[in-house]
Amino acid sequence: MTLKMHELEKACEEFMLSTPCADTAHDLSHIKRVVKVAKALCEAEGADPAVVIPAAWLHDCVAVAKNHPDRPLASKLAADKAIAFLTELKYDTGKLEAIHHAIVAHSFSAGVTPTTLEAKIVQDADRMDALGAIGVSRCMKVGGAIARNLYNVEDPFCGHRKADDTKYTLDHFFIKLLHIKDNMHTTAAREQAQARTQYMLDFLEQLKSEIAD
């Protein structure tokens, strides 16, 4: 009997509820936001939802902290675990390879280039959640979880020094977050990413006014 999509999603949600998350920025609310965006991009781009939706639900099913040395392996471990779970559900075996690739390729740390439209969509959806108001919030949560200082007191906005996000949370904006919009794959994602990035630039301007001498 073929598993219906709503049944798959319910099973995935229950599975993720039983799975530890790396930090509170990668909890079930993050997963649900990624799934929501991935569905919208999937429809806009004409991709295969049978690949996109399970990959979006399961992309973080292995928890590795951002500052852990094994972080680059997390998406491969998650992909393997996801396929084992979907196999238990007797999910369409013809979709498993594409789902595996989409999960592996979603991660910054893995450095794997997505080669399918579905993988590009999952990557775009996950990276979208690092932008805008939710992106600012998640960045601060991760910084707190790994006990980073908020900013360098002498040069908060990296005007005269190299950004170092191993020490300062604000530096992560300059190393990664403000550049995400330039690496979105799909047209729909690029448009939304531009708007969310502008919000983050406005946030930085506000912060600058509040901490200026």
Side-chain angles (χ1 to χ4, degrees):
M1 182 175 178
T2 303
L3 196 67
K4 293 182 172 60
M5 187 56 70
H6 74 273
E7 295 172 330
L8 170 71
E9 291 199 67
K10 182 179 179 181
C12 286
E13 181 170 357
E14 291 174 353
F15 180 66
M16 293 306 297
L17 279 169
S18 69
T19 301
C21 56
D23 51 63
T24 54
H26 294 83
D27 60 6
L28 188 63
S29 67
H30 163 68
I31 300 296
K32 287 185 172 183
R33 289 190 302 271
V34 171
V35 170
K36 180 181 178 180
V37 172
K39 286 179 178 179
L41 295 178
C42 185
E43 183 175 355
E45 301 292 335
D48 184 356
V51 172
V52 170
I53 293 174
W57 270 108
L58 301 170
H59 75 277
D60 276 344
C61 67
V62 168
V64 181
K66 286 286 189 181
N67 60 343
H68 194 283
D70 288 340
R71 181 65 186 176
L73 303 175
S75 66
K76 171 64 164 57
L77 295 172
D80 291 346
K81 185 176 179 179
I83 296 308
F85 169 69
L86 292 170
T87 300
E88 287 181 8
L89 293 180
K90 295 182 170 50
Y91 196 68
D92 184 352
T93 57
K95 307 293 184 182
L96 296 182
E97 183 177 351
I99 292 169
H100 190 278
H101 172 63
I103 294 175
V104 171
H106 91 270
S107 171
F108 270 103
S109 304
V112 175
T113 301
T115 59
T116 65
L117 176 59
E118 290 73 23
K120 291 174 182 177
I121 284 171
V122 173
Q123 188 185 91
D124 281 358
D126 182 59
R127 295 186 180 185
M128 192 74 72
D129 209 49
L131 300 178
I134 197 66
V136 172
S137 302
R138 293 179 67 230
C139 183
M140 298 306 169
K141 287 170 78 71
V142 171
I146 62 177
R148 276 190 309 215
N149 290 316
L150 179 56
Y151 58 85
N152 178 295
V153 176
E154 300 300 322
D155 187 2
F157 300 95
C158 305
H160 305 288
R161 64 180 179 85
K162 185 177 180 179
D164 182 359
D165 61 0
T166 65
K167 295 180 179 178
Y168 308 108
T169 292
L170 202 60
D171 288 24
H172 195 57
F173 284 75
F174 303 103
I175 289 175
K176 175 182 174 182
L177 301 183
L178 297 178
H179 306 292
I180 289 176
K181 68 182 189 316
D182 301 321
N183 297 303
M184 290 291 186
H185 299 283
T186 60
T187 300
R190 284 193 294 271
E191 292 172 355
Q192 190 175 157
Q194 289 284 350
R196 292 196 185 199
T197 301
Q198 185 58 55
Y199 175 93
M200 300 177 86
L201 291 169
D202 294 342
F203 166 80
L204 292 175
E205 285 300 314
Q206 177 65 26
L207 182 62
K208 185 180 294 184
S209 73
E210 293 178 11
I211 67 176
D213 294 333

PDB file of all heavy atoms in Angstrom, residues 65-92:
ATOM      1  N   ALA A  65      26.486  19.682  17.098  1.00  0.00           N
ATOM      2  CA  ALA A  65      26.596  21.100  17.435  1.00  0.00           C
ATOM      3  C   ALA A  65      27.423  21.849  16.392  1.00  0.00           C
ATOM      4  O   ALA A  65      28.336  21.282  15.768  1.00  0.00           O
ATOM      5  CB  ALA A  65      27.229  21.266  18.809  1.00  0.00           C
ATOM      6  N   LYS A  66      27.108  23.130  16.215  1.00  0.00           N
ATOM      7  CA  LYS A  66      27.784  23.953  15.209  1.00  0.00           C
ATOM      8  C   LYS A  66      29.294  24.002  15.403  1.00  0.00           C
ATOM      9  O   LYS A  66      30.046  24.104  14.427  1.00  0.00           O
ATOM     10  CB  LYS A  66      27.226  25.381  15.254  1.00  0.00           C
ATOM     11  CG  LYS A  66      25.844  25.545  14.667  1.00  0.00           C
ATOM     12  CD  LYS A  66      25.866  25.476  13.160  1.00  0.00           C
ATOM     13  CE  LYS A  66      24.522  25.845  12.558  1.00  0.00           C
ATOM     14  NZ  LYS A  66      24.538  25.744  11.082  1.00  0.00           N
ATOM     15  N   ASN A  67      29.741  23.979  16.645  1.00  0.00           N
ATOM     16  CA  ASN A  67      31.182  24.088  16.910  1.00  0.00           C
ATOM     17  C   ASN A  67      31.847  22.734  17.152  1.00  0.00           C
ATOM     18  O   ASN A  67      32.977  22.663  17.611  1.00  0.00           O
ATOM     19  CB  ASN A  67      31.429  25.015  18.100  1.00  0.00           C
ATOM     20  CG  ASN A  67      30.770  24.521  19.385  1.00  0.00           C
ATOM     21  OD1 ASN A  67      29.884  23.673  19.348  1.00  0.00           O
ATOM     22  ND2 ASN A  67      31.195  25.075  20.504  1.00  0.00           N
ATOM     23  N   HIS A  68      31.145  21.639  16.826  1.00  0.00           N
ATOM     24  CA  HIS A  68      31.711  20.302  17.004  1.00  0.00           C
ATOM     25  C   HIS A  68      32.584  19.935  15.799  1.00  0.00           C
ATOM     26  O   HIS A  68      32.233  20.253  14.661  1.00  0.00           O
ATOM     27  CB  HIS A  68      30.576  19.281  17.160  1.00  0.00           C
ATOM     28  CG  HIS A  68      31.026  17.950  17.663  1.00  0.00           C
ATOM     29  ND1 HIS A  68      31.673  17.029  16.857  1.00  0.00           N
ATOM     30  CD2 HIS A  68      30.941  17.381  18.897  1.00  0.00           C
ATOM     31  CE1 HIS A  68      31.946  15.951  17.567  1.00  0.00           C
ATOM     32  NE2 HIS A  68      31.528  16.132  18.801  1.00  0.00           N
ATOM     33  N   PRO A  69      33.712  19.277  16.008  1.00  0.00           N
ATOM     34  CA  PRO A  69      34.598  18.933  14.873  1.00  0.00           C
ATOM     35  C   PRO A  69      33.955  18.011  13.834  1.00  0.00           C
ATOM     36  O   PRO A  69      34.397  17.975  12.682  1.00  0.00           O
ATOM     37  CB  PRO A  69      35.794  18.250  15.553  1.00  0.00           C
ATOM     38  CG  PRO A  69      35.337  17.900  16.930  1.00  0.00           C
ATOM     39  CD  PRO A  69      34.310  18.914  17.301  1.00  0.00           C
ATOM     40  N   ASP A  70      32.916  17.284  14.228  1.00  0.00           N
ATOM     41  CA  ASP A  70      32.242  16.383  13.286  1.00  0.00           C
ATOM     42  C   ASP A  70      31.107  17.060  12.529  1.00  0.00           C
ATOM     43  O   ASP A  70      30.383  16.390  11.770  1.00  0.00           O
ATOM     44  CB  ASP A  70      31.676  15.164  14.028  1.00  0.00           C
ATOM     45  CG  ASP A  70      32.761  14.207  14.492  1.00  0.00           C
ATOM     46  OD1 ASP A  70      33.878  14.275  13.944  1.00  0.00           O
ATOM     47  OD2 ASP A  70      32.496  13.416  15.415  1.00  0.00           O
ATOM     48  N   ARG A  71      30.950  18.371  12.686  1.00  0.00           N
ATOM     49  CA  ARG A  71      29.842  19.081  12.036  1.00  0.00           C
ATOM     50  C   ARG A  71      29.788  18.832  10.527  1.00  0.00           C
ATOM     51  O   ARG A  71      28.693  18.664   9.963  1.00  0.00           O
ATOM     52  CB  ARG A  71      29.943  20.581  12.332  1.00  0.00           C
ATOM     53  CG  ARG A  71      28.837  21.417  11.719  1.00  0.00           C
ATOM     54  CD  ARG A  71      27.485  21.082  12.294  1.00  0.00           C
ATOM     55  NE  ARG A  71      26.418  21.790  11.611  1.00  0.00           N
ATOM     56  CZ  ARG A  71      25.138  21.616  11.861  1.00  0.00           C
ATOM     57  NH1 ARG A  71      24.751  20.763  12.781  1.00  0.00           N
ATOM     58  NH2 ARG A  71      24.226  22.290  11.191  1.00  0.00           N
ATOM     59  N   PRO A  72      30.918  18.814   9.792  1.00  0.00           N
ATOM     60  CA  PRO A  72      30.832  18.566   8.338  1.00  0.00           C
ATOM     61  C   PRO A  72      30.233  17.212   7.967  1.00  0.00           C
ATOM     62  O   PRO A  72      29.816  17.015   6.828  1.00  0.00           O
ATOM     63  CB  PRO A  72      32.304  18.654   7.886  1.00  0.00           C
ATOM     64  CG  PRO A  72      32.959  19.523   8.905  1.00  0.00           C
ATOM     65  CD  PRO A  72      32.296  19.163  10.200  1.00  0.00           C
ATOM     66  N   LEU A  73      30.199  16.271   8.920  1.00  0.00           N
ATOM     67  CA  LEU A  73      29.649  14.940   8.643  1.00  0.00           C
ATOM     68  C   LEU A  73      28.158  14.845   8.927  1.00  0.00           C
ATOM     69  O   LEU A  73      27.523  13.841   8.587  1.00  0.00           O
ATOM     70  CB  LEU A  73      30.374  13.895   9.508  1.00  0.00           C
ATOM     71  CG  LEU A  73      31.895  13.807   9.367  1.00  0.00           C
ATOM     72  CD1 LEU A  73      32.445  12.802  10.376  1.00  0.00           C
ATOM     73  CD2 LEU A  73      32.290  13.431   7.957  1.00  0.00           C
ATOM     74  N   ALA A  74      27.584  15.885   9.534  1.00  0.00           N
ATOM     75  CA  ALA A  74      26.213  15.797  10.044  1.00  0.00           C
ATOM     76  C   ALA A  74      25.193  15.500   8.953  1.00  0.00           C
ATOM     77  O   ALA A  74      24.302  14.661   9.151  1.00  0.00           O
ATOM     78  CB  ALA A  74      25.845  17.092  10.770  1.00  0.00           C
ATOM     79  N   SER A  75      25.293  16.172   7.813  1.00  0.00           N
ATOM     80  CA  SER A  75      24.260  15.978   6.783  1.00  0.00           C
ATOM     81  C   SER A  75      24.347  14.586   6.148  1.00  0.00           C
ATOM     82  O   SER A  75      23.326  14.002   5.789  1.00  0.00           O
ATOM     83  CB  SER A  75      24.354  17.064   5.708  1.00  0.00           C
ATOM     84  OG  SER A  75      25.555  16.969   4.975  1.00  0.00           O
ATOM     85  N   LYS A  76      25.543  14.029   6.038  1.00  0.00           N
ATOM     86  CA  LYS A  76      25.689  12.653   5.525  1.00  0.00           C
ATOM     87  C   LYS A  76      25.090  11.659   6.527  1.00  0.00           C
ATOM     88  O   LYS A  76      24.373  10.713   6.141  1.00  0.00           O
ATOM     89  CB  LYS A  76      27.171  12.346   5.282  1.00  0.00           C
ATOM     90  CG  LYS A  76      27.477  10.880   4.964  1.00  0.00           C
ATOM     91  CD  LYS A  76      26.848  10.412   3.668  1.00  0.00           C
ATOM     92  CE  LYS A  76      27.457   9.111   3.169  1.00  0.00           C
ATOM     93  NZ  LYS A  76      27.370   7.988   4.134  1.00  0.00           N
ATOM     94  N   LEU A  77      25.360  11.883   7.799  1.00  0.00           N
ATOM     95  CA  LEU A  77      24.785  11.018   8.831  1.00  0.00           C
ATOM     96  C   LEU A  77      23.267  11.131   8.852  1.00  0.00           C
ATOM     97  O   LEU A  77      22.556  10.133   9.002  1.00  0.00           O
ATOM     98  CB  LEU A  77      25.363  11.393  10.204  1.00  0.00           C
ATOM     99  CG  LEU A  77      26.865  11.162  10.386  1.00  0.00           C
ATOM    100  CD1 LEU A  77      27.331  11.753  11.715  1.00  0.00           C
ATOM    101  CD2 LEU A  77      27.204   9.682  10.314  1.00  0.00           C
ATOM    102  N   ALA A  78      22.780  12.358   8.687  1.00  0.00           N
ATOM    103  CA  ALA A  78      21.330  12.578   8.658  1.00  0.00           C
ATOM    104  C   ALA A  78      20.702  11.899   7.445  1.00  0.00           C
ATOM    105  O   ALA A  78      19.631  11.291   7.544  1.00  0.00           O
ATOM    106  CB  ALA A  78      21.021  14.075   8.649  1.00  0.00           C
ATOM    107  N   ALA A  79      21.359  12.009   6.300  1.00  0.00           N
ATOM    108  CA  ALA A  79      20.835  11.380   5.082  1.00  0.00           C
ATOM    109  C   ALA A  79      20.750   9.868   5.240  1.00  0.00           C
ATOM    110  O   ALA A  79      19.750   9.241   4.870  1.00  0.00           O
ATOM    111  CB  ALA A  79      21.721  11.747   3.889  1.00  0.00           C
ATOM    112  N   ASP A  80      21.782   9.273   5.811  1.00  0.00           N
ATOM    113  CA  ASP A  80      21.781   7.820   6.019  1.00  0.00           C
ATOM    114  C   ASP A  80      20.653   7.410   6.973  1.00  0.00           C
ATOM    115  O   ASP A  80      19.937   6.423   6.733  1.00  0.00           O
ATOM    116  CB  ASP A  80      23.117   7.371   6.594  1.00  0.00           C
ATOM    117  CG  ASP A  80      24.264   7.505   5.600  1.00  0.00           C
ATOM    118  OD1 ASP A  80      23.994   7.692   4.393  1.00  0.00           O
ATOM    119  OD2 ASP A  80      25.434   7.430   6.041  1.00  0.00           O
ATOM    120  N   LYS A  81      20.498   8.172   8.052  1.00  0.00           N
ATOM    121  CA  LYS A  81      19.453   7.867   9.037  1.00  0.00           C
ATOM    122  C   LYS A  81      18.068   8.051   8.427  1.00  0.00           C
ATOM    123  O   LYS A  81      17.152   7.249   8.671  1.00  0.00           O
ATOM    124  CB  LYS A  81      19.623   8.769  10.261  1.00  0.00           C
ATOM    125  CG  LYS A  81      18.666   8.463  11.401  1.00  0.00           C
ATOM    126  CD  LYS A  81      18.982   9.338  12.611  1.00  0.00           C
ATOM    127  CE  LYS A  81      18.030   9.068  13.759  1.00  0.00           C
ATOM    128  NZ  LYS A  81      18.346   9.913  14.949  1.00  0.00           N
ATOM    129  N   ALA A  82      17.909   9.097   7.617  1.00  0.00           N
ATOM    130  CA  ALA A  82      16.621   9.353   6.972  1.00  0.00           C
ATOM    131  C   ALA A  82      16.229   8.226   6.030  1.00  0.00           C
ATOM    132  O   ALA A  82      15.068   7.794   5.999  1.00  0.00           O
ATOM    133  CB  ALA A  82      16.682  10.683   6.216  1.00  0.00           C
ATOM    134  N   ILE A  83      17.184   7.752   5.258  1.00  0.00           N
ATOM    135  CA  ILE A  83      16.894   6.669   4.310  1.00  0.00           C
ATOM    136  C   ILE A  83      16.534   5.392   5.051  1.00  0.00           C
ATOM    137  O   ILE A  83      15.627   4.645   4.630  1.00  0.00           O
ATOM    138  CB  ILE A  83      18.090   6.444   3.361  1.00  0.00           C
ATOM    139  CG1 ILE A  83      18.316   7.691   2.487  1.00  0.00           C
ATOM    140  CG2 ILE A  83      17.854   5.213   2.496  1.00  0.00           C
ATOM    141  CD1 ILE A  83      17.094   8.197   1.758  1.00  0.00           C
ATOM    142  N   ALA A  84      17.205   5.123   6.154  1.00  0.00           N
ATOM    143  CA  ALA A  84      16.866   3.941   6.957  1.00  0.00           C
ATOM    144  C   ALA A  84      15.435   4.047   7.480  1.00  0.00           C
ATOM    145  O   ALA A  84      14.669   3.065   7.448  1.00  0.00           O
ATOM    146  CB  ALA A  84      17.850   3.806   8.118  1.00  0.00           C
ATOM    147  N   PHE A  85      15.060   5.243   7.927  1.00  0.00           N
ATOM    148  CA  PHE A  85      13.703   5.473   8.424  1.00  0.00           C
ATOM    149  C   PHE A  85      12.672   5.318   7.312  1.00  0.00           C
ATOM    150  O   PHE A  85      11.649   4.636   7.476  1.00  0.00           O
ATOM    151  CB  PHE A  85      13.622   6.874   9.033  1.00  0.00           C
ATOM    152  CG  PHE A  85      12.231   7.336   9.355  1.00  0.00           C
ATOM    153  CD1 PHE A  85      11.501   6.750  10.375  1.00  0.00           C
ATOM    154  CD2 PHE A  85      11.651   8.371   8.629  1.00  0.00           C
ATOM    155  CE1 PHE A  85      10.208   7.187  10.669  1.00  0.00           C
ATOM    156  CE2 PHE A  85      10.366   8.807   8.921  1.00  0.00           C
ATOM    157  CZ  PHE A  85       9.644   8.214   9.940  1.00  0.00           C
ATOM    158  N   LEU A  86      12.933   5.922   6.156  1.00  0.00           N
ATOM    159  CA  LEU A  86      11.991   5.842   5.040  1.00  0.00           C
ATOM    160  C   LEU A  86      11.880   4.408   4.505  1.00  0.00           C
ATOM    161  O   LEU A  86      10.803   3.989   4.067  1.00  0.00           O
ATOM    162  CB  LEU A  86      12.418   6.796   3.922  1.00  0.00           C
ATOM    163  CG  LEU A  86      12.312   8.293   4.258  1.00  0.00           C
ATOM    164  CD1 LEU A  86      12.976   9.128   3.176  1.00  0.00           C
ATOM    165  CD2 LEU A  86      10.857   8.710   4.436  1.00  0.00           C
ATOM    166  N   THR A  87      12.965   3.681   4.557  1.00  0.00           N
ATOM    167  CA  THR A  87      12.937   2.276   4.136  1.00  0.00           C
ATOM    168  C   THR A  87      12.033   1.458   5.052  1.00  0.00           C
ATOM    169  O   THR A  87      11.273   0.598   4.583  1.00  0.00           O
ATOM    170  CB  THR A  87      14.361   1.697   4.123  1.00  0.00           C
ATOM    171  OG1 THR A  87      15.164   2.452   3.195  1.00  0.00           O
ATOM    172  CG2 THR A  87      14.354   0.234   3.693  1.00  0.00           C
ATOM    173  N   GLU A  88      12.095   1.737   6.347  1.00  0.00           N
ATOM    174  CA  GLU A  88      11.209   1.069   7.302  1.00  0.00           C
ATOM    175  C   GLU A  88       9.743   1.365   6.996  1.00  0.00           C
ATOM    176  O   GLU A  88       8.870   0.516   7.190  1.00  0.00           O
ATOM    177  CB  GLU A  88      11.538   1.518   8.727  1.00  0.00           C
ATOM    178  CG  GLU A  88      12.827   0.957   9.283  1.00  0.00           C
ATOM    179  CD  GLU A  88      13.075   1.426  10.705  1.00  0.00           C
ATOM    180  OE1 GLU A  88      12.180   2.064  11.302  1.00  0.00           O
ATOM    181  OE2 GLU A  88      14.170   1.152  11.225  1.00  0.00           O
ATOM    182  N   LEU A  89       9.488   2.585   6.505  1.00  0.00           N
ATOM    183  CA  LEU A  89       8.118   2.972   6.147  1.00  0.00           C
ATOM    184  C   LEU A  89       7.688   2.394   4.799  1.00  0.00           C
ATOM    185  O   LEU A  89       6.546   2.597   4.372  1.00  0.00           O
ATOM    186  CB  LEU A  89       7.998   4.500   6.089  1.00  0.00           C
ATOM    187  CG  LEU A  89       8.143   5.285   7.395  1.00  0.00           C
ATOM    188  CD1 LEU A  89       7.991   6.774   7.115  1.00  0.00           C
ATOM    189  CD2 LEU A  89       7.112   4.834   8.425  1.00  0.00           C
ATOM    190  N   LYS A  90       8.620   1.712   4.135  1.00  0.00           N
ATOM    191  CA  LYS A  90       8.376   1.189   2.786  1.00  0.00           C
ATOM    192  C   LYS A  90       8.065   2.313   1.799  1.00  0.00           C
ATOM    193  O   LYS A  90       7.190   2.193   0.934  1.00  0.00           O
ATOM    194  CB  LYS A  90       7.250   0.136   2.797  1.00  0.00           C
ATOM    195  CG  LYS A  90       7.619  -1.110   3.598  1.00  0.00           C
ATOM    196  CD  LYS A  90       6.530  -2.141   3.569  1.00  0.00           C
ATOM    197  CE  LYS A  90       6.975  -3.462   4.160  1.00  0.00           C
ATOM    198  NZ  LYS A  90       7.607  -3.375   5.479  1.00  0.00           N
ATOM    199  N   TYR A  91       8.799   3.400   1.949  1.00  0.00           N
ATOM    200  CA  TYR A  91       8.649   4.536   1.029  1.00  0.00           C
ATOM    201  C   TYR A  91       9.195   4.155  -0.343  1.00  0.00           C
ATOM    202  O   TYR A  91      10.042   3.263  -0.468  1.00  0.00           O
ATOM    203  CB  TYR A  91       9.396   5.754   1.586  1.00  0.00           C
ATOM    204  CG  TYR A  91       9.008   7.061   0.944  1.00  0.00           C
ATOM    205  CD1 TYR A  91       7.742   7.602   1.138  1.00  0.00           C
ATOM    206  CD2 TYR A  91       9.904   7.761   0.134  1.00  0.00           C
ATOM    207  CE1 TYR A  91       7.376   8.802   0.540  1.00  0.00           C
ATOM    208  CE2 TYR A  91       9.544   8.958  -0.458  1.00  0.00           C
ATOM    209  CZ  TYR A  91       8.285   9.476  -0.263  1.00  0.00           C
ATOM    210  OH  TYR A  91       7.927  10.665  -0.848  1.00  0.00           O
ATOM    211  N   ASP A  92       8.719   4.836  -1.353  1.00  0.00           N
ATOM    212  CA  ASP A  92       9.096   4.575  -2.747  1.00  0.00           C
ATOM    213  C   ASP A  92      10.623   4.528  -2.897  1.00  0.00           C
ATOM    214  O   ASP A  92      11.309   5.538  -2.754  1.00  0.00           O
ATOM    215  CB  ASP A  92       8.504   5.678  -3.627  1.00  0.00           C
ATOM    216  CG  ASP A  92       8.743   5.450  -5.114  1.00  0.00           C
ATOM    217  OD1 ASP A  92       9.504   4.522  -5.471  1.00  0.00           O
ATOM    218  OD2 ASP A  92       8.176   6.211  -5.923  1.00  0.00           O
TER     219      ASP A  92
END
